Amino acid sequence: MRGHIPTYIKLKSMIQRSIEKRELVPGEKLPSERTLAVTHGLSRMTVRQALSELVTAGALYREQGRGTFVSARKMQQRNIASFSETVRQKGFAPSTRVLEFSSIKPPKDIADKLMAVDAEMYRALRIRLADDIPVALEEVFIPFHICPGLEKKDLTASLYKLIGDTFGHKIASADSSVTALHPNAKQQEHLRITRNTPVLKIDSLYFSGNGQTLYYEHAVYRADMYEYNIRISTQPGK
Amino acid sequence: MRGHIPTYIKLKSMIQRSIEKRELVPGEKLPSERTLAVTHGLSRMTVRQALSELVTAGALYREQGRGTFVSARKMQQRNIASFSETVRQKGFAPSTRVLEFSSIKPPKDIADKLMAVDAEMYRALRIRLADDIPVALEEVFIPFHICPGLEKKDLTASLYKLIGDTFGHKIASADSSVTALHPNAKQQEHLRITRNTPVLKIDSLYFSGNGQTLYYEHAVYRADMYEYNIRISTQPGK
DNA sequence: TCCTAAAATTGGACTATACCAACACTAGCA
DNA sequence: TGCTAGTGTTGGTATAGTCCAATTTTAGGA
C-alpha cells in the first residue's frame, strides 16, 4: 500500500484529537490496553506502541494495576518553535527583511561549533518583524554542504522550514544559550530601540537526528516584545 | 524474581556504557537487531525496546535498510538543571541565603498556575550565590499538600532535590518563560547591582509525571554572571 | 459492620513469527 | 567499463500469545 499510514499512528492521532477536543479530560481513565485492542481490532502490542509514544510525549501516564490516564497538562507540540510560528500564535503577522547575504569564511568559534573548520559557509543577517515592528535581529551561519544553492532560495520565508523541506535536513534538537544584555549600536538601529531597552540574546546550534550540526543562529530579541517559552522534560526511561 | 531488572534495561545500559567508554564511537554501526537478538539470546522485539529508548534519548539513530548508529553528540543527561548543579559545573561554590519564609495565601495568578485556588502555601525568598557573589533572587511558591512540614527542613539546600528525595515528588518537566529586563529596587539591592545591569527573568512551573503542578518559581538572574543553557528536542514519533 | 483472602483487572516484560519497505551489494548484460 | 536487475540485509509494522506484578474488586467470614 502506497502512502499507507501505520495503524498505531492512526490510533495515536485519534487519542490526541480526543484530548484536544476535551472528549478525554485530564485525569480520565482510558479503556485498558486489552479493551482498546479488541474494540479497534488490533493486537495489544500495537495499542501499546501508540500509548507508549503518548506517554513519552507527556500526554498520558500509566499506573500499573490501575490503568492509563490523561495527563493534567494540555498537550503542546513542544517542537523547537520557529519565529514565524511563535509570532503567529500570539496573533501577529510575521515577516522578514534580509539585510545581508554572502558566503564567507566564518570566525573560528562558529566554525568550531559547526565542526566545519575550513569550510566556506553562507551568512545571512535578517530582521524579523511582527506586524511590521522589528522584534529580532538574526545572524545565521549555514555550511555550504548543508544547503547547496541557498543563494537561489527565498530567505524571507522560514529558514527552519526551508532546511527541513527543501534540503531534507530534519532538525531534531538544538542547544541554546540565553542571556540578557544591552543592544549595541547596530542592534539599536535595526530594532529601533535605545540602549536602555534590554534585549534577549539567544545563540542556538541546531542538530539533525544523527547529531550532525546543521546551522548556527545568533539572535537578539527586543525583550519588551518577545518572551522565550520552553518546556523541558527529564529523560524518559531513567 | 525479586528486584529483577528487565532484560531490555540491561541491554540498554550495556550499550550506554559502551558509548560512554568510547568502545562504541560516534557514527559507528551497531550489530543488526536480529544479530543482537541472537547473540544475547533475546527476541528481536526486546532488542528493539532497548534500542528505541536510546533512539528517543538521542544516543542512537536508525536508518531503514542501513542499520542503527551511534549519534555524534555526546550523551547528556538533559535534566532540568538546578542552580546548585549549574554553578558547580562552572567551577564555583554554590550557596543559599534564605531571606524570608512564611505561609501565605498566594496571589491569584500564582494560585491559578498551581491549580490550587483556595490553598495556603509556603513562600520562600532566597538569594543564590556563586563563590559568595549574589547571582540570583528567587521566589518560590509551594502548596502545603506538596511538602507538608517544609518549615522544618533546611532551605539552604537544593529545593529541587528536597522535593524529590524527601517528599517523593519526582519532577518530570517544567514550563519556563524567559525574558530580559532591568531590576527593580529590591532586586538591585539584593543582587548588589545598578539599574543598568540587565537581568534574566525566568518563571518556571514544575510538574510531576502525571501533570500535577508541584511548585512555581520566579527567579531573577544577574545576566553578566549567569547564562541559561538548554537542549531542546523535537517530539519523537512526529 | 468490618476486615481479610481470593479473584479479576491492568500494565510490564517477553517470545516467536510474519510480511513490508528501504537500501546495499553483486552478478551479469550491453 | 558502466548500467541494471536481482537478491539479501536492515529496520518498520503488526499479530498472537505467555507469564508476572501491582492494584482493585468481590465475596465470605468473624
Side-chain angles (χ1 to χ4, degrees):
Chain A
M1 268 187 263
R2 219 167 296 278
H4 168 250
I5 296 169
T7 322
Y8 78 95
I9 296 278
K10 283 186 199 161
L11 177 59
K12 186 184 160 190
S13 303
M14 196 181 303
I15 296 170
Q16 245 169 337
R17 274 197 303 276
S18 295
I19 296 174
E20 279 163 20
K21 284 196 265 175
R22 297 280 158 178
E23 292 163 8
L24 287 170
V25 299
E28 185 170 342
K29 190 180 165 185
L30 290 174
S32 75
E33 295 176 352
R34 287 168 179 83
T35 305
L36 282 173
V38 172
T39 56
H40 290 82
L42 306 171
S43 78
R44 191 179 153 213
M45 287 300 286
T46 305
V47 171
R48 270 183 74 76
Q49 190 170 358
L51 296 186
S52 294
E53 295 206 352
L54 289 167
V55 168
T56 302
L60 304 176
Y61 64 99
R62 291 200 254 233
E63 289 187 20
Q64 190 172 351
R66 302 221 315 127
T68 304
F69 305 85
V70 179
S71 289
R73 288 199 309 283
K74 64 171 177 289
M75 191 166 354
Q76 288 180 259
Q77 285 305 346
R78 188 49 60 156
N79 293 333
I80 300 165
S82 73
F83 178 86
S84 312
E85 278 177 55
T86 308
V87 168
R88 235 187 298 268
Q89 271 177 18
K90 296 195 179 180
F92 299 96
S95 57
T96 304
R97 208 171 291 153
V98 180
L99 296 182
E100 302 171 14
F101 183 81
S102 60
S103 54
I104 58 155
K105 189 137 178 14
K108 193 180 172 305
D109 59 327
I110 288 171
D112 280 350
K113 279 177 184 150
L114 285 168
M115 295 188 262
V117 179
D118 284 316
E120 286 267 310
M121 50 183 77
Y122 298 107
R123 170 185 175 277
L125 187 68
R126 311 193 299 174
I127 296 183
R128 313 301 299 267
L129 309 96
D131 281 358
D132 291 321
I133 301 167
V135 172
L137 186 63
E138 199 184 84
E139 190 179 18
V140 191
F141 295 88
I142 312 175
F144 278 5
H145 67 271
I146 300 293
C147 296
L150 182 63
E151 66 274 7
K152 300 183 201 106
K153 302 294 175 187
D154 175 22
L155 285 174
T156 66
S158 168
L159 192 62
Y160 183 86
K161 276 198 173 174
L162 191 69
I163 287 175
D165 297 348
T166 308
F167 295 99
H169 294 291
K170 202 180 146 205
I171 295 175
S173 66
D175 277 350
S176 297
S177 126
V178 184
T179 191
L181 40 75
H182 285 135
N184 62 27
K186 190 176 185 178
Q187 291 158 354
Q188 288 168 45
E189 182 200 330
H190 286 120
L191 296 176
R192 296 195 209 128
I193 52 177
T194 65
R195 204 189 119 72
N196 278 325
T197 307
V199 294
L200 262 190
K201 178 172 84 76
I202 306 181
D203 293 330
S204 303
L205 184 60
Y206 292 88
F207 300 92
S208 69
N210 65 5
Q212 185 188 21
T213 53
L214 295 177
Y215 68 103
Y216 183 79
E217 180 185 280
H218 167 88
V220 170
Y221 295 83
R222 281 184 62 165
D224 57 343
M225 296 280 297
Y226 197 83
E227 203 176 68
Y228 189 58
N229 288 287
I230 40 170
R231 170 164 298 166
I232 316 169
S233 293
T234 51
Q235 285 301 352
K238 230 242 112 174
Chain B
M1 268 190 260
R2 219 166 297 277
H4 167 251
I5 297 169
T7 324
Y8 78 95
I9 297 278
K10 283 187 200 161
L11 178 59
K12 186 183 159 190
S13 304
M14 195 181 305
I15 296 170
Q16 242 169 341
R17 274 197 303 274
S18 295
I19 296 174
E20 280 162 21
K21 284 196 265 177
R22 298 277 157 181
E23 293 162 6
L24 286 171
V25 299
E28 186 171 341
K29 189 180 166 186
L30 291 174
S32 76
E33 295 176 350
R34 287 167 179 85
T35 305
L36 282 172
V38 172
T39 56
H40 290 81
L42 306 171
S43 80
R44 189 178 154 216
M45 287 301 284
T46 305
V47 172
R48 270 184 73 76
Q49 191 170 358
L51 296 187
S52 294
E53 295 207 352
L54 288 168
V55 168
T56 301
L60 304 177
Y61 65 97
R62 292 198 254 233
E63 289 188 19
Q64 190 171 351
R66 302 221 314 127
T68 305
F69 306 84
V70 179
S71 290
R73 288 200 309 284
K74 65 170 177 289
M75 198 167 345
Q76 287 181 260
Q77 286 305 345
R78 208 159 12 307
N79 293 334
I80 299 164
S82 73
F83 178 86
S84 313
E85 277 176 57
T86 308
V87 168
R88 236 188 297 270
Q89 271 177 16
K90 296 197 178 179
F92 298 96
S95 57
T96 304
R97 206 171 292 154
V98 180
L99 296 182
E100 302 171 13
F101 183 82
S102 60
S103 54
I104 59 153
K105 189 136 178 14
K108 193 180 172 306
D109 59 328
I110 289 170
D112 280 351
K113 280 176 183 151
L114 286 167
M115 294 188 262
V117 179
D118 284 316
E120 287 266 310
M121 50 182 77
Y122 297 108
R123 170 184 175 276
L125 186 67
R126 311 194 300 173
I127 296 182
R128 313 302 300 265
L129 309 96
D131 281 357
D132 290 322
I133 300 167
V135 172
L137 186 64
E138 196 185 85
E139 190 179 19
V140 190
F141 296 88
I142 313 175
F144 278 6
H145 66 271
I146 300 292
C147 297
L150 182 64
E151 66 275 8
K152 301 182 198 105
K153 302 295 176 187
D154 174 22
L155 284 175
T156 66
S158 166
L159 192 62
Y160 184 87
K161 276 197 174 175
L162 191 69
I163 288 174
D165 298 347
T166 308
F167 295 100
H169 295 291
K170 201 180 147 207
I171 294 176
S173 65
D175 276 351
S176 297
S177 123
V178 184
T179 191
L181 40 75
H182 285 135
N184 62 28
K186 190 176 185 178
Q187 291 159 353
Q188 290 169 43
E189 182 198 331
H190 285 120
L191 295 177
R192 295 197 209 126
I193 51 177
T194 65
R195 204 190 118 73
N196 278 325
T197 305
V199 294
L200 262 190
K201 178 171 84 76
I202 305 181
D203 293 330
S204 303
L205 185 59
Y206 293 87
F207 299 93
S208 69
N210 65 5
Q212 184 186 22
T213 53
L214 296 177
Y215 67 103
Y216 183 79
E217 181 184 280
H218 167 88
V220 169
Y221 295 83
R222 281 185 62 165
D224 58 343
M225 297 280 296
Y226 197 83
E227 204 176 68
Y228 189 58
N229 289 287
I230 39 170
R231 170 164 298 166
I232 317 168
S233 294
T234 51
Q235 288 296 354
K238 231 238 111 176

